[in-house]
Amino acid sequence: MSKEIIKIQDLKREFTMGTETVHALKGISFSIQEGEFVTIMGSSGSGKSTMLNILGCLDQPTSGLYEIDGVSVKDLNRNQLATIRNEKIGFIFQSYNLLARTSAIENVELPLLYNSKITSEERRERAIKALEMVGLGERLHHTPSQLSGGQQQRVAIARSLVNNPVMILADEATGNLDTRTSYEIMSLFQELNRKGITITFVTHEPDIATFSSRTVVLKDGEIMQDYKNHNIQSAAEELAKLPKQDH
Ligand SMILES: Nc1ncnc2c1ncn2[C@@H]1O[C@H](COP(=O)(O)OP(=O)(O)OP(=O)(O)O)[C@@H](O)[C@H]1O
Ligand SMILES: [Mg+2]
């Protein structure tokens, strides 16, 4: 039996702007099982980021239920929320959100700094392991400006992995990358998913969604479609089909 990692019911998020109220999410219900790879699609303004921010405990819903790993988020205080965010969830953003002038290894160590039980040696070891997992074992001391976009995103992925999260949330993680680099990143996500990590991935691009096991389509703050993908493409295979590049 698979386990429910995320359960939301009649989730609403309203933003008040002066006298106007924006209904960004209009009562959404669904659940995500452990091990799923879900893409969230939908046009600009449909509520994708709003939803992901709530799933990641970066934002609270106006009303409705949200349970993560069986725990109701509404009942948690700020400290407990921060702990859940840090220990259960890995976040990846379109713009990488790395610290400039800070080496790859130090960026990846950051989430571990909040954990006083981890020694500095262990921190370093785990950061190196995470960077090796994303293929950056040879770039440990490069700063973001010394890395390509795809490499910077891989540092961000390593940072999201260093706490062994149960779930990765990614908002347009390939949005700034060319096709080849996007496929490389998707191939990495597929590998992580095969190792059992649940992934929820926001994208605009339909070809990126073919690499996931399920697609949820939002429109104007409501779920329009929610379907299993029975023909999951391999990003590694698609990558191999792309025309060779000269270096
Ligand atoms: N902090 C906020 N204050 C006010 N309105 C907001 C806020 N955040 C989002 N909204 C509104 O909520 C709606 C959904 O926005 P959201 O950012 O979730 O869309 P999105 O699907 O991620 O779009 P995109 O593809 O452009 O990133 C939009 O109408 C947006 O203007
Ligand atoms: Mg968005």
Side-chain angles (χ1 to χ4, degrees):
M1 262 263 312
S2 59
K3 184 167 114 195
E4 214 165 46
I5 291 251
I6 281 182
K7 179 176 173 187
I8 60 178
Q9 242 165 29
D10 203 21
L11 199 80
K12 294 186 181 150
R13 180 63 166 110
E14 293 163 6
F15 296 105
T16 311
M17 306 280 292
T19 56
E20 237 188 280
T21 303
V22 179
H23 300 271
L25 297 176
K26 298 176 182 165
I28 285 184
S29 305
F30 71 84
S31 52
I32 297 179
Q33 309 293 317
E34 186 166 42
E36 277 196 288
F37 187 162
V38 182
T39 28
I40 313 275
M41 296 200 61
S43 52
S44 180
S46 57
K48 303 181 297 296
S49 295
T50 303
M51 192 165 82
L52 210 71
N53 290 342
I54 292 174
L55 294 185
C57 304
L58 297 173
D59 186 28
Q60 289 268 30
T62 308
S63 66
L65 173 129
Y66 174 31
E67 285 178 10
I68 175 166
D69 228 0
V71 179
S72 172
V73 169
K74 201 169 62 196
D75 304 330
L76 301 178
N77 64 32
R78 282 176 64 124
N79 277 340
Q80 290 169 319
L81 269 181
T83 305
I84 285 222
R85 252 196 327 261
N86 195 39
E87 291 178 357
K88 290 198 190 284
I89 304 169
F91 254 103
I92 298 158
F93 300 92
Q94 177 170 3
S95 48
Y96 323 131
N97 289 15
L98 300 175
L99 292 184
R101 291 185 291 279
T102 305
S103 68
I105 195 163
E106 285 165 336
N107 267 287
V108 175
E109 281 181 342
L110 270 181
L112 298 174
L113 287 176
Y114 303 103
N115 190 335
S116 54
K117 290 185 215 113
I118 297 178
T119 64
S120 56
E121 290 80 22
E122 193 183 346
R123 209 158 54 220
R124 188 114 301 205
E125 245 168 59
R126 279 172 66 170
I128 293 174
K129 215 175 123 220
L131 282 162
E132 282 171 350
M133 235 166 113
V134 300
L136 286 180
E138 314 280 289
R139 295 283 188 280
L140 302 178
H141 301 288
H142 285 56
T143 60
S145 65
Q146 296 165 336
L147 295 166
S148 70
Q151 288 171 336
Q152 288 179 61
Q153 192 58 301
R154 278 191 271 165
V155 174
I157 295 172
R159 182 183 55 188
S160 82
L161 289 173
V162 77
N163 261 328
N164 302 319
V166 292
M167 172 170 74
I168 285 184
L169 301 175
D171 197 351
E172 307 271 359
T174 58
N176 287 341
L177 304 173
D178 59 40
T179 304
R180 170 174 292 274
T181 315
S182 297
Y183 286 8
E184 280 168 12
I185 295 291
M186 292 316 289
S187 162
L188 180 57
F189 277 126
Q190 286 188 321
E191 211 179 299
L192 296 171
N193 182 240
R194 272 195 296 274
K195 290 183 180 153
I197 300 180
T198 309
I199 301 177
T200 306
F201 192 95
V202 167
T203 183
H204 269 109
E205 295 148 273
D207 62 323
I208 293 290
T210 64
F211 301 132
S212 72
S213 58
R214 176 178 165 196
T215 304
V216 174
V217 183
L218 294 182
K219 191 182 175 201
D220 295 333
E222 291 177 291
I223 294 181
M224 288 302 288
Q225 294 181 67
D226 181 353
Y227 56 90
K228 285 242 160 41
N229 182 358
H230 295 293
N231 186 21
I232 303 170
Q233 302 297 306
S234 152
E237 279 173 26
E238 293 308 306
L239 190 60
K241 283 185 208 159
L242 290 178
K244 290 263 179 300
Q245 265 183 334
D246 294 328
H247 282 288

